[in-house]
Amino acid sequence: MQRQKIIIEGIVQGVGFRPFIYQLAERFSLAGSVCNDTRGVTIEVEGDPDDLAQFVTAIQSEKPPLAVIQSLEAETVAVQGSSGFSIVQSRVGEIRRAQIAPDTFVCEDCLQELFDSGDRRYCYPFINCTNCGPRYTIVTGIPYDRPLTTMADFPLCPECQTEYDDPTSRRFHAQPNACPTCGPELQLVDGKGQCIVVADPLSEAVRRLKDGQILAIKGLGGYHLAVDAGNHEAVLELRRRKQRDEKPFALMAKDLDVVKRFAIVGDDEARLLQGVERPIVLLQKCDDHNMAENIAPANRYFGVMLPYTPLHYLLLQDEFEALVMTSANLSDEPIAFEDDEACQRLGTIADAFLIHNRRIHTRTDDSIARVMADRPLLLRRSRGFVPRAIALPGETRSVLAVGAELKNTVCLTRGDRAFLSQHVGDLKNLEVYDSFKQTINHLRSILEVQPELVAHDLHPDYYSTRYALEESGLPSVAVQHHHAHLASCLAEHGVEEPAIGVIFDGIGYGADGNIWGGEFLIGDLSSYERVGHFRYQPMPGGDLATKEPWRMALSYLQSTYGEVPDGVNAFAGITDNELRLVGQAIMKGINTPLTSSCGRLFDAVAALLGLRQKVSFEGQAAMQLEMIADPVQSQSYPYQLLHVDGQIVFDPLPLIDAITKDNFSGRPVAEIAGRFHFTLAVMIAEICIQVRQQRGLSLVALSGGVFQNCLLTELTLAQLEKSGFKVLTHSLVPPNDGGLALGQAVVASLLNP
Ligand code: ZN
Ligand code: ZN
Ligand code: FE
């Protein structure tokens, strides 16, 4: 006989872990107990040593689908002669280091029951079990127990209670457990919040969608706006009602086979689509797809997800090839998640609302992923991934990092883990800013952390910076934007050694007060040095230049030629007067900060090629340039590398000249765009080789929003790897500002107290 005490940390609460252990102990005829505690789960088992060894192996290999084991420590203790195995109730206050699980798609077992006409939950849209269902979005506090979720509104019926209490049931301690007798229910309402009385709200909703109506549908982390994706008029009408919004709409289709009818799905994409997180995955459109024109204009990709709630499965049963399921908001507003608010804000967009009475406590947008260079890459890390922890190189002080201003997320560290929040959005919007503060408070309370420090961007006017300095009440640390991007990439890989950071993005406040964004750094998790950058270029109108790419085209043309050459087609729709005024502003330096931004160079080239003079969302022009580019170009345009004050400066004026001439001579835009991408990749490798010669570093980290560009990233990887560099790219954490808070948190947590 032997007795072992086993302590397991990770996501092991609220995921069916204790009943799993119970059944495993029965299988190996072991006696003892299992309970939740401050760190995770503690097990005491005694029995035959061989059985004990097999038991421990089976914990690792057979763990429940949602469980994440971060560590498992087993020690031998004195035999107590126990008989039987029991699940010991957890006591309040004992859950401190435990982790809340993310929201997860409905599992196979529940799906079976959902479509089994003999099951008591047949067609019940809120079916779930310990292996699936809502978690993070319904948690109001800790410990994770039904009274501290929004399921507190629904007392369990006797049948559900029996399942809840039965350790052999798949619903043992499943906090969101519910059935048609005791659980949440659907309702169809009109734009004024008035109930539309029908026998079956679901089939009426389907009928209306079939009819071309726009429906707001309450989901897991917020509302979606849905229309039949095959109905051109309905999609067009949705665009019209969403006002000027040109962002691509996401699609939802029943299963992989259906997706393959309109998009190209590789093995990696299929894995992402079918993962428990169920993100939106960017997939190349099929040439002959029959989806409506306006779903993803000027884009080679559709954003597609598979159903993730039972309600989605019911909606998609037989009627639709796919539904548009776009987050329910007007541009820049946060996604609607409360019923009254949804009716108010979406009343002019949706014809009807399919709602239910399970409250969403934490608004959480859909995550967005793609496959890049044969690896998954998260472009937005939100529902399904949050609040899963990211491992840090070691124990650190607890830090709150408040992120950037656009694509904001926040990050909290606890012990050797970082917790990056769900996507919050653009803080300039007041409602988003409120949501930002709620997110910080909620994360603090469910993680039970009191941060010692707050980390923020160097930009003095970001709302997040102002919050850190004026409202957080904590000692503050400023972290330079591009250093934070670099640290975020290093931290994701657990790399502590210094690397060459190639950090390209739209805009970040520089240490010299200029706007940076085409940066070559040398740095690690605690410090950095700037070793190279793009030539400083006037950015007429400041922030306005990010919305109006023609301004950067004008700036580059003036620098190249001193004036605008005749016949340039970069300025369609821009009046001569505007051109003259902005031209003068550039010469006199009025409201014209200097920038080394790579994103702004993309803007200028997109405008020069006549793709776009103005944009309706951040990065739109750059995205269009990538989409139109011929990916197999392998000829570089000329450029210059200057050496100024010990730094390497990339001067793209020869490139602008060559592109302008190519454009005049009628070379296809696709070829020019392809060569532009190739040139940047060649330039990156040349600069990294120079830095390696001087400093002996051969590790490169690519970060910043520009590296969402698949073509540029893959070309750059090829150039760098050909030259013998080891290259780190993002995967779990977005390269854009959505990953910035992680870098800020890591840098600040390593500062000497
Ligand atoms: Zn389930
Ligand atoms: Zn029930
Ligand atoms: Fe950035």
Side-chain angles (χ1 to χ4, degrees), residues 106-111 127-133 170-171:
V106 52
C107 74
E108 291 304 324
D109 291 335
C110 286
L111 276 180
I127 186 169
N128 67 81
C129 72
T130 48
N131 299 327
C132 75
R170 212 172 79 243
R171 298 198 164 85

Side-chain angles (χ1 to χ4, degrees), residues 232-250:
H232 298 248
E233 288 75 31
V235 174
L236 212 63
E237 181 62 14
L238 176 59
R239 280 249 174 251
R240 198 185 63 74
R241 293 195 203 166
K242 276 196 95 178
Q243 294 172 26
R244 296 188 313 275
D245 192 340
E246 292 175 42
K247 285 183 194 161
F249 290 151

Side-chain angles (χ1 to χ4, degrees), residues 533-535 537 556 638-642 649-655 683:
H533 60 87
F534 283 36
R535 167 203 151 90
Q537 190 63 34
Y556 275 108
Y639 59 85
Q640 257 198 307
L641 296 187
L642 311 170
V649 175
F650 163 59
D651 180 352
L653 296 188
L655 167 81
M683 175 274 293

Side-chain angles (χ1 to χ4, degrees), residues 420-609:
L420 195 56
S421 78
Q422 73 275 18
H423 169 79
V424 176
D426 177 0
L427 298 185
K428 282 196 285 291
N429 178 288
L430 191 66
E431 280 179 78
V432 176
Y433 184 68
D434 285 341
S435 163
F436 160 81
K437 289 197 279 190
Q438 282 161 18
T439 301
I440 292 172
N441 292 334
H442 187 58
L443 263 188
R444 276 175 73 153
S445 88
I446 62 167
L447 293 170
E448 287 199 303
V449 220
Q450 286 300 339
E452 296 170 43
L453 270 181
V454 61
H456 60 84
D457 195 85
L458 214 50
H459 199 304
D461 296 329
Y462 275 0
Y463 282 92
S464 51
T465 303
R466 289 197 214 154
Y467 170 86
L469 297 177
E470 293 161 21
E471 285 190 62
S472 73
L474 295 167
S476 63
V477 179
V479 181
Q480 200 279 323
H481 191 94
H482 302 92
H483 182 213
H485 274 307
L486 170 59
S488 169
C489 186
L490 295 177
E492 178 180 343
H493 290 274
V495 169
E496 294 177 86
E497 65 194 90
I500 304 169
V502 179
I503 317 296
F504 289 3
D505 64 1
I507 276 183
Y509 199 85
D512 60 1
N514 291 319
I515 297 167
W516 294 7
E519 308 305 311
F520 293 84
L521 311 178
I522 285 181
D524 57 18
L525 297 179
S526 44
S527 66
Y528 79 99
E529 174 191 346
R530 191 188 198 200
V531 293
H533 60 87
F534 283 36
R535 167 203 151 90
Y536 277 131
Q537 190 63 34
M539 184 171 147
D543 270 355
L544 202 52
T546 65
K547 299 197 178 72
E548 301 187 352
W550 68 270
R551 290 169 178 264
M552 288 311 295
L554 180 61
S555 172
Y556 275 108
L557 288 174
Q558 284 199 1
S559 298
T560 308
Y561 303 112
E563 57 179 5
V564 176
D566 286 340
V568 170
N569 62 355
F571 307 111
I574 312 300
T575 64
D576 287 348
N577 196 36
E578 254 182 303
L579 266 179
R580 201 181 55 248
L581 283 174
V582 173
Q584 283 169 4
I586 294 171
M587 307 238 262
K588 294 178 185 159
I590 301 163
N591 190 19
T592 296
L594 292 176
T595 185
S596 56
S597 164
C598 177
R600 294 295 81 77
L601 178 61
F602 267 89
D603 281 357
V605 173
L608 279 175
L609 297 182

Side-chain angles (χ1 to χ4, degrees), residues 181-423:
T181 313
C182 65
E185 53 191 15
L186 288 177
Q187 204 185 17
L188 198 66
V189 300
D190 65 19
K192 295 182 189 70
Q194 297 295 315
C195 182
I196 301 170
V197 184
V198 283
D200 179 9
L202 184 84
S203 54
E204 174 64 12
V206 169
R207 193 194 65 75
R208 285 172 179 242
L209 283 167
K210 250 333 214 202
D211 222 30
Q213 291 196 19
I214 299 170
L215 258 72
I217 298 175
K218 187 176 179 180
L220 204 49
Y223 275 74
H224 284 116
L225 287 166
V227 292
D228 179 353
N231 185 329
H232 298 248
E233 288 75 31
V235 174
L236 212 63
E237 181 62 14
L238 176 59
R239 280 249 174 251
R240 198 185 63 74
R241 293 195 203 166
K242 276 196 95 178
Q243 294 172 26
R244 296 188 313 275
D245 192 340
E246 292 175 42
K247 285 183 194 161
F249 290 151
L251 296 175
M252 184 181 277
K254 190 171 91 176
D255 57 37
L256 208 54
D257 288 339
V258 178
V259 175
K260 284 176 178 167
R261 286 184 216 153
F262 57 85
I264 300 165
V265 188
D267 291 349
D268 293 329
E269 279 99 355
R271 253 192 303 282
L272 272 175
L273 278 168
Q274 294 177 300
V276 293
E277 301 89 355
R278 292 284 156 108
I280 296 169
V281 182
L282 302 190
L283 303 172
Q284 261 193 59
K285 296 174 179 174
C286 291
D287 290 337
D288 57 347
H289 71 79
N290 54 359
M291 296 289 117
E293 270 321 304
N294 240 304
I295 290 171
N299 204 315
R300 285 185 191 169
Y301 295 81
F302 283 130
V304 185
M305 56 189 153
L306 294 179
Y308 53 89
T309 69
L311 176 58
H312 295 153
Y313 277 96
L314 293 169
L315 276 168
L316 282 159
Q317 248 336 278
D318 301 305
E319 302 282 345
F320 309 98
E321 179 103 321
L323 285 175
V324 164
M325 288 286 262
T326 186
S327 55
N329 52 358
L330 293 171
S331 311
D332 303 331
E333 280 182 358
I335 182 171
F337 75 115
E338 283 166 324
D339 302 337
D340 296 353
E341 172 215 17
C343 286
Q344 255 174 36
R345 276 169 46 189
L346 307 174
T348 55
I349 303 178
D351 296 308
F353 293 72
L354 185 60
I355 67 170
H356 59 74
N357 51 349
R358 185 177 75 200
R359 284 175 294 127
I360 298 169
H361 185 73
T362 300
R363 134 198 304 138
T364 310
D365 288 75
D366 292 321
S367 294
I368 305 175
R370 74 176 306 168
V371 174
M372 192 187 279
D374 302 322
R375 298 177 63 210
L377 171 68
L378 281 180
L379 302 174
R380 181 199 282 163
R381 186 180 182 277
S382 203
R383 178 192 45 78
F385 294 91
V386 174
R388 214 181 271 165
I390 297 163
L392 297 175
E395 289 274 326
T396 63
R397 284 191 287 171
S398 185
V399 173
L400 165 67
V402 293
E405 184 153 274
L406 285 172
K407 292 192 166 67
N408 178 274
T409 61
V410 301
C411 183
L412 268 175
T413 66
R414 182 181 73 179
D416 59 355
R417 304 281 146 175
F419 298 85
L420 195 56
S421 78
Q422 73 275 18
H423 169 79

